[in-house]
Amino acid sequence: MEVETNPKEVGLCPDRLERVDAWMRRYVETGRLAGLSVAVMRGGKTAFFRAHGQADLARSRPFTADTILRIYSMTKPLTSLAVLMLYEEGRFQLDDPVSRFLPEFTEMLVMTGGNRARLETEPALRAITIRDLLTHTSGLTYGFMEATLVDALYRRDEIDFQTSNLPLGELVARLARQPLLAQPGTEWNYSVATDVLGHLVAVVSGQDFGEFMRARILRPLRMHDTDFFVPQEKRDRFAANYAFDREGRLRLYDDSVGSRFLTPPPLASGGGGLVSTAGDYLRFCRMILNLGELDGVRLLGRKTVELMLTNHLPGDLAAMGQPRFAESSYAGIGFGLGVSVMLDPARAQIVGTPGEVSWGGVASTSFWIDPDEDMAVVLMTQLVPSSALPLRRELRVLTYAALES
């Protein structure tokens, strides 16, 4: 990906964008990040793209424009796009029970208390809908939360869409046998819901989910380096993933050699299975800003994109129970169909625009799209967890500060 325009031509201050470059260099020079890239697009043109540091410290591979990274939960908006494409084909309505297509989710139970020896449950008051899955209000959870009895059941039964050796349908069936954490529609809980949506796409389309994504989204958008694994010929561009040790120094979390992302997985995880590049993901952002179309290829209609970017919660995340984890803050932030939605920058205590959408991945990758400003930003790096550094909030301030008109 190359810079396509002088920042001033799209209303961005070049001097202020250089603050982003200095910020990037500081993180690398102080050893808090191995490497990172930042891309800023406005008016459909890339006005800033820089990469600094190393993609692989042990092998001295530089972090470049085409470095391939684990984007984890930045997979979710693309899976949600797949669901909405089928919605536009008239295959289902958003308020349809998912059990219409996945009967294993019929007559779900909801945890009410108890302990590991004896869990207390009650029947779900209503069915889980497709919209519930898109908005993380289904009552599902993640096993890695380690906060509730339901989380513990997920870990006991090895319900992990990232590492499982089971086919997608079998793992979803195992998931459906677990109780829900909350009544459908009542709480916002980050969850494996988007992995269930991947299976829904496969069942409704009659096509393997991974191949649906390649054929219907990734190839049409020319996201050529985005897939559920890194092929042999691209392995020298694959980054290592890092975490901090107890002394705050970078340690290897997942090597670029021997990683599970180097071979086709038993299942394609719609919740976190993709690898990608900054340039590829910026093409997805550009398609959203263009209201469903890019370079003559239309994936969604304008009204469906508008629906996707609208808050579907009765309030913000903070009003929907007690979120235990999210790739977002809670106050002032709502949730659309697969993306968070800025409702109130003052409540969120961060500069931004009502209606701006975003999400991130556990390895500190992030993106946001601001339709009002006709702007998108993509941050790529590899550091787990995403809460280790305030990268997203800092970069948000730096990029918005560069707006001149």
Side-chain angles (χ1 to χ4, degrees), residues 30 76 80 98 113 134 193 232 247 254 281 289 295 319 329 343 394:
T30 57
K76 289 180 170 71
S80 301
V98 71
L134 285 162
Q232 177 72 41
E247 285 71 45
D254 183 40
Y281 212 87
L289 280 173
D295 295 337
S329 56
L343 301 178
E394 290 175 353

Side-chain angles (χ1 to χ4, degrees), residues 99-329:
S99 58
R100 174 186 165 192
F101 304 95
L102 309 180
E104 54 267 44
F105 286 97
T106 303
E107 298 182 357
M108 298 296 291
L109 297 175
V110 180
M111 182 194 73
T112 59
N115 53 48
R116 293 196 182 200
R118 184 177 177 82
L119 200 66
E120 297 173 1
T121 63
E122 65 181 12
L125 298 178
R126 68 163 176 80
I128 298 171
T129 67
I130 295 171
R131 177 180 170 277
D132 290 332
L133 294 172
L134 285 162
T135 59
H136 293 287
T137 58
S138 63
L140 298 172
T141 183
Y142 266 120
F144 71 76
M145 302 288 193
E146 299 190 7
T148 72
L149 294 173
V150 179
D151 302 345
L153 291 177
Y154 280 34
R155 295 193 300 278
R156 182 198 69 186
D157 290 349
E158 299 180 337
I159 298 172
D160 186 336
F161 288 85
Q162 293 291 304
T163 62
S164 179
N165 290 318
L166 294 176
L168 180 57
E170 288 187 27
L171 191 56
V172 168
R174 181 180 294 185
L175 166 69
R177 293 193 289 269
Q178 312 301 322
L180 300 175
L181 188 62
Q183 289 287 346
T186 64
E187 294 183 8
W188 191 91
N189 288 293
Y190 199 40
S191 74
V192 297
T194 316
D195 287 293
V196 177
L197 288 172
H199 183 47
L200 175 71
V201 168
V203 170
V204 172
S205 69
Q207 191 172 13
D208 173 80
F209 172 62
E211 186 50 41
F212 182 98
M213 293 288 282
R214 295 181 192 100
R216 298 287 303 275
I217 295 176
L218 301 178
R219 286 198 288 268
L221 285 181
R222 302 209 305 270
M223 296 175 67
H224 299 309
D225 289 325
T226 304
D227 207 328
F228 291 96
F229 73 103
V230 182
Q232 177 72 41
E233 66 272 16
K234 298 180 181 181
R235 289 184 179 184
D236 60 347
R237 292 197 278 130
F238 186 45
N241 197 5
Y242 297 92
F244 288 133
D245 64 18
R246 292 186 177 181
E247 285 71 45
R249 297 171 302 196
L250 291 176
R251 64 171 178 82
L252 189 64
Y253 179 83
D254 183 40
D255 201 351
S256 64
V257 175
S259 171
R260 62 181 175 83
F261 286 95
L262 298 178
T263 55
L267 65 84
S269 168
L274 287 175
V275 297
S276 189
T277 64
D280 272 14
Y281 212 87
L282 203 62
R283 289 190 63 79
F284 166 72
C285 295
R286 185 175 292 183
M287 181 273 296
I288 293 296
L289 280 173
N290 287 348
L291 295 175
E293 181 272 337
L294 183 62
D295 295 337
V297 175
R298 178 164 293 281
L299 272 68
L300 283 183
R302 174 175 65 87
K303 298 301 291 185
T304 307
V305 175
E306 292 172 354
L307 184 67
M308 180 183 187
L309 307 189
T310 299
N311 181 36
H312 286 250
L313 306 182
D316 60 10
L317 300 185
M320 292 288 291
Q322 298 292 323
R324 294 163 295 137
F325 177 83
E327 297 292 347
S328 167
S329 56

Side-chain angles (χ1 to χ4, degrees), residues 16-59:
R16 285 181 169 240
L17 281 178
E18 287 303 316
R19 296 178 182 175
V20 177
D21 189 85
W23 171 83
M24 297 169 69
R25 290 179 183 274
R26 284 196 300 272
Y27 267 111
V28 171
E29 291 167 0
T30 57
R32 290 185 290 170
L33 289 176
L36 74 164
S37 66
V38 172
V40 180
M41 183 184 70
R42 197 171 193 220
K45 296 182 178 180
T46 306
F48 179 94
F49 177 77
R50 303 284 171 83
H52 290 295
Q54 301 290 313
D56 188 322
L57 293 171
R59 297 169 183 87

Side-chain angles (χ1 to χ4, degrees), residues 5-15 17 47 404-405:
T5 189
N6 185 313
K8 292 189 75 68
E9 294 179 3
V10 291
L12 293 167
C13 174
D15 291 340
L17 281 178
E404 288 188 318
S405 62

